[in-house]
Amino acid sequence: MTPSDHTPIPYSLLDLAPVTEGSDAAESFRRTLELAQLADELGYTRYWLAEHHNMPGVSSSATALIIGHVAGGTKRIRVGSGGVMLPNHAPLAIAEQFGTLESLYPGRIDLGLGRAPGSDQPAARALRRGLTAGGQDFPELLSELRGYFDPTLGTAAPGVRAVPGEGLDIPIWLLGSSGFSAQLAGELGLPFAFASHFAPDYLLPALALYRSSFKPSRHLERPYAMVAVNVIAADTDEIAAWLATSQQQQFLNIVRGRTGKLQPPVDSMDGLLSPQEQAILTSTLRYSIAGSKETVKRRLPEIQEETGADEFIVASQIFDHAARLHSCRLTAEAFRELG
């Protein structure tokens, strides 16, 4: 991944549809669509939205609905889930939802699946009434879901068909932050995305496990791994570092077990966290880039060399919407110039 390379690495965008302090979900959805439209123009490959619940600062809880909102307002870019937390749902409902999306926007929908709750325990219990709690049954749920799209697998509930959904070739990705989904994705010959933007510790072992367990399928002939990174780009390193304090505050709140809306930047994080919290934050965000376009261009090839990523997906938790759009543009320029 250097300026002399002839095959540029694909780059995509992960959006949590953040609700900023002083704003609301309606404004978040307007900003999400504007960001997606810009990403569409700038050559991003896909635009993914993540399922979270009981979090005041994240509005993408009804993930399939906002995917439809974004797909309807864009032209080229693939739109999908990064991801839908499958144990929260009946597989038939997901097959019907994404079958509907694929029928409305053919050839542009991705179905990324995770096995975490995407929420705290009270919300998880509220979501899973009548369903098995925990992610232990994820392989069985996945098998059932795939059976609704492809009845020849024989894994759907007997006598049940997904309409729409049946017969549609919707790409299924497995998402993870450990080895469980990495190995499962490899064994099934599916693409794999790792959540290194917030859980970097197992990135390299998970990628190795995915590649070593990979079996070619009708979906993929060889492993395809997407690596998530935080990128906050600005005109200078100093501005980017300042913008990045919103993301740092958000992760600090997670460490402390708090929830809240995305906060404005602060001049310094000094005094806001303990040395132990600083160490946790530094480790958690080690696959994060905050800097000028030149800084982004310098760091991305290092991560690509380390991970062998086939694609990057970029998360950018930035308080100011104009600054977030500018970061999206600078990041795309960095990828193009590297490619």
Side-chain angles (χ1 to χ4, degrees):
M1 188 180 176
T2 69
S4 61
D5 288 343
H6 298 292
T7 54
I9 189 168
Y11 52 98
S12 297
L13 199 151
L14 174 64
D15 185 12
L16 301 183
V19 182
T20 56
E21 187 64 48
S23 184
D24 58 18
E27 180 63 24
S28 169
F29 296 147
R30 287 190 288 270
R31 292 173 176 176
T32 279
L33 182 56
E34 187 175 356
L35 182 63
Q37 290 169 337
L38 179 62
D40 198 12
E41 296 171 7
L42 294 175
Y44 284 78
T45 300
R46 60 191 94 245
Y47 193 99
W48 279 7
L49 294 130
E51 177 186 348
H52 291 78
H53 301 279
N54 205 25
M55 300 181 70
V58 179
S59 62
S60 50
S61 54
T63 315
L65 290 178
I66 193 170
I67 288 171
H69 172 62
V70 169
T74 52
K75 298 177 181 178
R76 173 203 58 84
I77 196 168
R78 298 191 65 89
V79 188
S81 56
V84 160
M85 302 299 113
L86 185 55
N88 290 345
H89 309 278
L92 176 61
I94 297 303
E96 291 170 341
Q97 290 170 17
F98 280 78
T100 299
L101 288 167
E102 175 66 19
S103 298
L104 289 169
Y105 310 105
R108 293 183 55 209
I109 300 300
D110 293 329
L111 176 51
L113 299 168
R115 70 185 185 101
S119 61
D120 55 22
Q121 286 305 310
R125 286 192 294 270
L127 284 163
R128 296 175 178 181
R129 292 177 182 172
L131 300 176
T132 302
Q136 298 88 347
D137 56 349
F138 181 78
E140 291 75 22
L141 295 173
L142 174 61
S143 179
E144 181 183 344
L145 173 62
R146 296 179 72 206
Y148 290 123
F149 293 126
D150 181 3
T152 65
L153 295 175
T155 54
V160 180
R161 302 171 64 183
V163 182
E166 184 176 292
L168 296 180
D169 188 16
I170 303 170
I172 291 178
W173 292 67
L174 297 194
L175 282 55
S177 57
S178 68
F180 184 94
S181 292
Q183 183 170 355
L184 183 60
E187 292 172 350
L188 296 175
L190 297 175
F192 176 62
F194 192 89
S196 38
H197 62 303
F198 71 84
D201 289 345
Y202 204 71
L203 169 62
L204 298 182
L207 292 177
L209 181 60
Y210 169 59
R211 290 165 180 148
S212 66
S213 61
F214 186 84
K215 298 176 182 177
S217 69
R218 71 175 185 85
H219 308 286
L220 285 178
E221 294 183 358
R222 65 174 186 85
Y224 192 93
M226 181 159 61
V227 171
V229 292
N230 297 298
V231 179
I232 296 175
D235 291 335
T236 67
D237 287 352
E238 292 75 19
I239 295 173
W242 176 69
L243 293 172
T245 61
S246 293
Q247 174 183 264
Q248 292 163 11
Q249 292 175 76
Q250 184 179 57
F251 276 97
L252 180 60
N253 283 335
I254 293 172
V255 169
R256 293 174 174 175
R258 301 174 181 172
T259 60
K261 295 183 178 182
L262 187 65
Q263 296 298 305
V266 294
D267 291 336
S268 174
M269 292 292 289
D270 292 344
L272 298 181
L273 69 174
S274 68
Q276 293 83 357
E277 289 171 334
Q278 179 63 67
I280 293 171
L281 208 61
T282 300
S283 177
T284 301
L285 296 177
R286 64 183 180 271
Y287 288 105
S288 299
I289 310 169
S292 66
K293 182 172 67 174
E294 293 307 313
T295 297
V296 174
K297 286 170 62 177
R298 183 171 62 251
R299 180 67 178 125
L300 281 172
E302 296 173 351
I303 299 175
Q304 203 279 331
E305 178 70 21
E306 182 181 359
T307 64
D310 298 291
E311 183 173 336
F312 280 116
I313 188 163
V314 172
S316 302
Q317 290 290 83
I318 299 174
F319 180 82
D320 181 76
H321 184 55
R324 194 175 188 214
L325 294 174
H326 189 48
S327 177
C328 177
R329 189 178 297 278
L330 290 174
T331 301
E333 291 175 4
F335 274 106
R336 289 199 300 268
E337 291 172 16
L338 285 167

